[in-house]
Amino acid sequence: MRVSKGSARRRAKKRLFKEARGNYGGRSKLLRTVKETIIRSRAYAYRDRRVRKREFRALWITRITAACRARGTNYSQFINGLSKAGITLNRKSLSELAISQPQVFDEIVKAAQAALAA
């Protein structure tokens, strides 16, 4: 006897088509290409969750570099001075301080320069 799976098959297809919405042409209309599209999109999503972390770290470092250069030092000397001074702020918080509270960042830079000089 032939089994067509009825509503279960329709529910499974509907879930796939819902995930593939917004793609061009057959990538959102044809079941076989929808499956391929979803596999690829999930692979990209997995990969790019990790890439996002790298990109944010690079952005924070760029911001810190700009703030340090405005205060007469460079990024590598600043980070070296922080480690010698025992200041354990991460790059995200340093970047936020440089943008939102420049006077606090000035004090941190002075502390790092003093640790380098000592």
Side-chain angles (χ1 to χ4, degrees), residues 47-63:
R47 179 196 70 186
D48 291 338
R49 280 193 294 275
R50 279 127 194 94
V51 171
R52 186 190 315 136
K53 293 165 182 57
R54 290 178 224 156
E55 289 175 350
F56 269 108
R57 184 180 167 96
L59 173 67
W60 299 328
I61 289 172
T62 304
R63 287 175 175 172

Side-chain angles (χ1 to χ4, degrees), residues 35-104:
K35 287 178 183 176
E36 293 169 0
T37 301
I38 289 172
I39 289 169
R40 181 73 351 230
S41 70
R42 287 175 180 167
Y44 285 140
Y46 178 84
R47 179 196 70 186
D48 291 338
R49 280 193 294 275
R50 279 127 194 94
V51 171
R52 186 190 315 136
K53 293 165 182 57
R54 290 178 224 156
E55 289 175 350
F56 269 108
R57 184 180 167 96
L59 173 67
W60 299 328
I61 289 172
T62 304
R63 287 175 175 172
I64 295 167
T65 302
C68 288
R69 285 184 182 163
R71 289 159 179 82
T73 185
N74 63 26
Y75 173 79
S76 61
Q77 289 175 339
F78 173 67
I79 294 296
N80 188 20
L82 284 182
S83 63
K84 287 184 177 175
I87 300 172
T88 57
L89 288 171
N90 62 14
R91 283 154 183 80
K92 180 180 181 180
S93 57
L94 286 168
S95 168
E96 285 299 316
L97 284 173
I99 294 168
S100 61
Q101 298 176 336
Q103 66 279 6
V104 175

